[in-house]
Amino acid sequence: MTEDLSRSTVTTQEQVIDEEKRREAERTFRAAPQLSKSPLHGLWALTNRDLVKWYKNPIQLVISLVQPVVWLGLFGSAFNLGNFVPKTEFEATFGATNYISYLGAGMLAFIILFTAAFSGMSVVWDRRFGFMNKALSTPVGRGSIVVGKIMQSTIRSLIQAAIVLVIAVVLSMDTTHFGVLTVGGSFVMLFLMSFGLSSLFVMLALRSSDWQTQMAIINLLNLPLLFASNAMLPVAIMPGWLQSVVRYNPVSYAVDGVRQMLLGSASITNYSVLAPLWVDFGVLVVFAALLSILGIILSWRLLTK
Amino acid sequence: MSQQAIVKVQGLTKVFGQLKAVDGVSFEVEEGEIFGFLGPNGAGKTTTINMLTTLLRASGGTATIDGLDIHKHPNEVRRTVGVVPQEYTADEDLTGIQNIILCADLYGLPRSNSKPHAVELLKLVGLEDAAERKVSTYSGGMRRRLELASGLINYPKLLFLDEPTLGLDVQTRTAVWDYIRMLKVEYKMTLFLTTHYLEEADSLCDRIAIIDHGHIVKIGTPGELKASIGGDVIVVGVAETGPDISADIKSIPLVKDVKKTDHEYRIKSEVGEESSIQIIDLVRSRGLHVTKISLTKPTLDEAYLELTGRSIRDEETNKMDMFKQRVTMMRARR
Ligand SMILES: Nc1ncnc2c1ncn2[C@@H]1O[C@H](COP(=O)(O)OP(=O)(O)O)[C@@H](O)[C@H]1O
Ligand SMILES: [Mg+2]
């Protein structure tokens, strides 16, 4: 740090513009190339910027994994709920052979929901620290700015979900139904959920440069989206009013689809299942498509004041 | 004005709620000149730049940049101009070169070109040794130069600089001025800058528009603006109270105004150097003894005071501006 400071002072003081350097720069400068007019130019650059910042700072990844791992370890392994209920009854209600398997699928949704929630925060920081204005003064598509944010959040959350899945398996999640199709299919569903939720949170942040408001929005939406879903507990044991709320929560459909594929819930009993697999899938496709399109439309209107 | 105008602005207006931040400004910027917007905080400088660089939608009026209408062809305008905003915009977690290449990608510059170009620009602003360091380790002057380099990444014909030396120490400020002059001289670039430093406008700009409360008060070269307050002030001290020769002094060519106090004549002249000799001759020829003589050139400070009715240092700012400015200045000092 001290070294950096002294170096910067030195550079500040030797301000003479080197004649040779100037000529050299001038040569490249005159050869202005054609700028790309593709509507998607810069999209990957924007996405990659956030990803680079993320993997260069692994602490962030570790912190984001703490909560799901604690849930899995504490409620999944230590107080295995399955121990308190007769086995057949447990399987019928939960559609899983043990609670950690049930919770494992829920935790995949948990980590995706929480990562998506903070995608809006990164928009707020970009506004706050001026980067947003820089991007807006370039010809990059306004939609690309939004989609880049959604994509970086989706990619991050899928990587984190994969890590959570491995941890759940290590903590004895039931893998009898695992296969290329079921795991791949689950991640397609998680992708759709992440894309939709990230769009939602990015959209809510488009106009804001105030992180307190954004925090409040995250808190307001996150816990209800998590607890008014089947991520932790089966719908069947919830009170009637909550059951109807759960049915309007897109998170429930992702969790339901993932459980049907990873745990074969549908083959254990129909009781635990929220909807047929194709319905889960359809709901998520519509959810992701609607919210991302809405996000892009809003970005055209809201990013320029 | 001339056909060479690269920026043409007619009645540009921006209203925020009740506040007319920019109230029908009209001006032209000639190709190849350094044009300055001089005004106190809150005058509407940034708002004007934001409209011209398509960050803000104008509430009224029109503007073209290099013949492109800012409302009809915003993307073409963005490709044509470079922007160095008031606040620092670089990503602190990335290195200098990563920041510039990111900018190049956002402009759609081919990678084959953007990498060597980024290196050249970093050299140009003297940051080649710091290119691989995270921006969070940069000093204020280095950050400013990095912003300057990223503003140049798309080979702009016209560069907007919003308060390019805000919060910098005097030495770094003169260095930034050098870079700006070089862009004009070497690259024949047109520069549009805003400032609330009189010295900066005076030493850097070919023409200045004084802006206050969203209105352009006066446009002209620094010399014209200074001349508009009535010229140089000559003070001639005389030894004893003799006859009042004010009327005679006034008849000397170029003299515009004469005031007499007990032992002094305060004379305003368009060209002080010429008049002062004639004045001394005249005073002596009337048998008066000259005890002292002083010649003061008008400063932009005085011109500003005369045109706006207040000194530029009585700044009125709202809280958000103050906050933003403090953040920028804090980061500049690091
Ligand atoms: N987004 C905004 N909303 C409301 N008022 C604003 C906004 N941006 C600027 N203003 C107001 O417009 C006026 C001009 O601001 P600005 O152009 O930033 O001034 P300058 O750059 O000359 O200091 C100020 O009074 C400022 O408070
Ligand atoms: Mg400003």
Side-chain angles (χ1 to χ4, degrees):
Chain A
M1 197 60 208
T2 341
E3 189 210 3
D4 281 338
L5 281 178
S6 59
R7 269 183 73 184
S8 46
T9 340
V10 171
T11 344
T12 317
Q13 280 163 4
E14 50 167 64
Q15 300 290 358
V16 198
I17 302 160
D18 190 313
E19 191 61 24
E20 192 192 328
K21 274 185 210 160
R22 179 194 289 187
R23 298 273 163 233
E24 216 177 295
E26 196 179 0
R27 249 178 290 125
T28 7
F29 205 77
R30 291 271 152 84
Q34 199 64 36
L35 299 181
S36 161
K37 299 212 169 143
S38 146
L40 292 181
H41 84 264
L43 174 58
W44 178 246
L46 284 168
T47 311
N48 193 42
R49 160 180 174 253
D50 282 318
L51 291 178
V52 167
K53 287 168 65 138
W54 177 65
Y55 71 65
K56 286 272 166 74
N57 186 8
I59 290 286
Q60 225 182 321
L61 173 66
V62 172
I63 290 175
S64 67
L65 289 175
V66 168
Q67 252 193 317
V69 169
V70 168
W71 277 90
L72 282 172
L74 206 61
F75 296 101
S77 289
F79 308 131
N80 188 349
L81 232 96
N83 296 342
F84 306 111
V85 188
K87 192 164 172 55
T88 44
E89 216 167 293
F90 180 85
E91 288 185 3
T93 320
F94 285 78
T97 47
N98 55 13
Y99 186 60
I100 187 140
S101 306
Y102 182 87
L103 195 60
M107 282 303 123
L108 296 181
F110 175 101
I111 187 118
I112 284 185
L113 174 59
F114 276 67
T115 310
F118 279 89
S119 60
M121 205 51 132
S122 109
V123 176
V124 173
W125 289 127
D126 278 358
R127 245 193 207 299
R128 196 84 186 183
F129 287 117
F131 181 80
M132 183 63 86
N133 270 352
K134 181 88 224 178
L136 287 172
S137 71
T138 72
V140 75
R142 313 294 98 164
S144 299
I145 295 177
V146 165
V147 176
K149 283 289 172 211
I150 298 170
M151 271 172 50
Q152 61 90 14
S153 152
T154 305
I155 292 170
R156 273 167 42 180
S157 59
L158 290 180
I159 293 171
Q160 289 173 337
I163 298 173
V164 169
L165 185 61
V166 170
I167 294 170
V169 168
V170 169
L171 292 173
S172 76
M173 183 173 179
D174 180 4
T175 56
T176 24
H177 293 272
F178 279 28
V180 176
L181 256 180
T182 55
V183 175
S186 301
F187 274 86
V188 170
M189 291 222 158
L190 292 175
F191 165 81
L192 291 170
M193 170 180 152
S194 179
F195 209 82
L197 286 172
S198 303
S199 306
L200 173 69
F201 282 99
V202 167
M203 220 175 338
L204 292 173
L206 278 182
R207 220 33 196 281
S208 163
S209 58
D210 168 10
W211 63 269
Q212 282 101 333
T213 313
Q214 200 55 32
M215 254 342 251
I217 292 176
I218 292 174
N219 284 334
L220 190 72
L221 291 180
N222 241 354
L223 294 183
L225 279 172
L226 182 69
F227 287 106
S229 84
N230 49 1
M232 309 289 189
L233 291 169
V235 191
I237 65 171
M238 293 177 181
W241 64 269
L242 190 55
Q243 287 194 17
S244 36
V245 176
V246 170
R247 288 190 177 277
Y248 285 102
N249 182 352
V251 174
S252 306
Y253 292 88
V255 175
D256 187 55
V258 168
R259 283 207 183 106
Q260 292 192 43
M261 285 189 279
L262 284 188
L263 306 177
S265 298
S267 66
I268 295 173
T269 165
N270 279 329
Y271 197 42
S272 67
V273 168
L274 184 73
L277 195 54
W278 69 269
V279 173
D280 291 337
F281 194 71
V283 167
L284 289 171
V285 167
V286 172
F287 172 67
L290 266 185
L291 284 173
S292 54
I293 291 169
L294 196 60
I296 293 171
I297 292 174
L298 282 181
S299 71
W300 291 331
R301 312 197 78 245
L302 293 187
L303 284 179
T304 309
K305 281 166 269 176
Chain B
M1 255 189 255
S2 102
Q3 308 248 296
Q4 298 281 65
I6 186 166
V7 180
K8 293 182 184 175
V9 178
Q10 261 305 320
L12 203 62
T13 301
K14 180 73 192 181
V15 184
F16 292 117
Q18 297 288 315
L19 175 79
K20 275 195 170 173
V22 174
D23 192 0
V25 299
S26 303
F27 60 91
E28 293 191 351
V29 179
E30 310 280 314
E31 210 159 336
E33 75 174 339
I34 302 182
F35 184 86
F37 249 32
L38 172 68
N41 274 324
K45 304 183 294 296
T46 301
T47 306
T48 308
I49 283 205
N50 285 348
M51 286 190 283
L52 294 178
T53 56
T54 76
L55 285 182
L56 269 182
R57 252 182 236 122
S59 317
T62 58
T64 59
I65 286 173
D66 202 21
L68 299 161
D69 188 303
I70 56 166
H71 300 295
K72 292 189 194 120
H73 306 285
N75 259 335
E76 282 74 9
V77 170
R78 290 175 194 134
R79 288 194 186 95
T80 311
V81 306
V83 189
V84 180
Q86 183 170 340
E87 73 269 41
Y88 295 126
T89 60
D91 189 327
E92 304 223 342
D93 298 328
L94 301 181
T95 65
I97 188 131
Q98 281 173 334
N99 264 294
I100 299 209
I101 291 181
L102 174 59
C103 252
D105 289 340
L106 298 184
Y107 276 104
L109 216 66
R111 268 290 167 102
S112 58
N113 181 283
S114 68
K115 280 191 178 158
H117 189 39
V119 172
E120 293 304 336
L121 286 175
L122 284 169
K123 272 190 192 167
L124 182 75
V125 297
L127 285 177
E128 67 270 42
D129 294 334
E132 303 291 341
R133 270 165 51 193
K134 274 193 181 185
V135 173
S136 52
T137 69
Y138 281 24
S139 70
M142 293 165 84
R143 280 165 200 251
R144 204 39 100 182
R145 284 181 282 146
L146 180 66
E147 294 293 335
L148 203 54
S150 17
L152 296 170
I153 190 71
N154 61 325
Y155 303 83
K157 278 180 103 162
L158 166 67
L159 184 65
F160 287 94
L161 298 137
D162 197 1
E163 310 249 6
T165 62
L166 180 69
L168 297 181
D169 59 76
V170 178
Q171 206 167 21
T172 317
R173 185 181 296 175
T174 17
V176 171
W177 291 355
D178 282 346
Y179 289 113
I180 293 173
R181 285 194 194 99
M182 178 184 70
L183 293 175
K184 173 190 156 165
V185 176
E186 297 285 317
Y187 304 139
K188 315 282 177 261
M189 202 178 275
T190 310
L191 294 117
F192 182 119
L193 63 87
T194 74
T195 182
H196 67 269
Y197 297 123
L198 290 153
E199 317 85 90
E200 182 159 297
D202 199 0
S203 86
L204 210 51
C205 297
D206 297 310
R207 285 193 310 132
I208 300 171
I210 292 182
I211 178 167
D212 193 24
H213 295 304
H215 293 278
I216 290 183
V217 184
K218 187 118 186 160
I219 303 183
T221 64
E224 284 167 0
L225 293 178
K226 290 173 200 166
S228 73
I229 73 160
D232 306 345
V233 178
I234 303 161
V235 179
V236 180
V238 288
E240 57 282 328
T241 36
D244 187 347
I245 56 169
S246 299
D248 298 322
I249 295 175
K250 196 153 187 186
S251 64
I252 295 174
L254 298 175
V255 169
K256 294 175 67 184
D257 187 38
V258 182
K259 281 198 185 81
K260 183 178 184 297
T261 59
D262 272 359
H263 296 282
E264 271 180 11
Y265 290 96
R266 294 181 65 86
I267 302 141
K268 267 193 187 173
S269 158
E270 278 170 46
V271 187
E273 291 86 345
E274 282 181 28
S275 311
S276 53
I277 304 184
Q278 295 174 0
I279 293 166
I280 295 173
D281 287 348
L282 179 81
V283 174
R284 285 193 175 143
S285 73
R286 295 298 161 93
L288 292 168
H289 182 62
V290 178
T291 55
K292 63 170 190 192
I293 178 155
S294 70
L295 168 64
T296 324
K297 290 270 157 196
T299 60
L300 202 52
D301 231 330
E302 287 167 64
Y304 189 86
L305 189 68
E306 185 126 335
L307 288 166
T308 64
R310 64 206 163 95
S311 163
I312 196 158
R313 301 187 211 285
D314 315 335
E315 285 165 357
E316 298 164 24
T317 12
N318 66 25
K319 265 161 67 190
M320 191 60 197
D321 282 343
M322 287 289 274
F323 172 79
K324 276 191 179 160
Q325 198 166 340
R326 271 217 308 277
V327 169
T328 310
M329 287 173 64
M330 262 158 46
R331 292 162 95 194
R333 291 213 181 96
R334 274 229 296 262

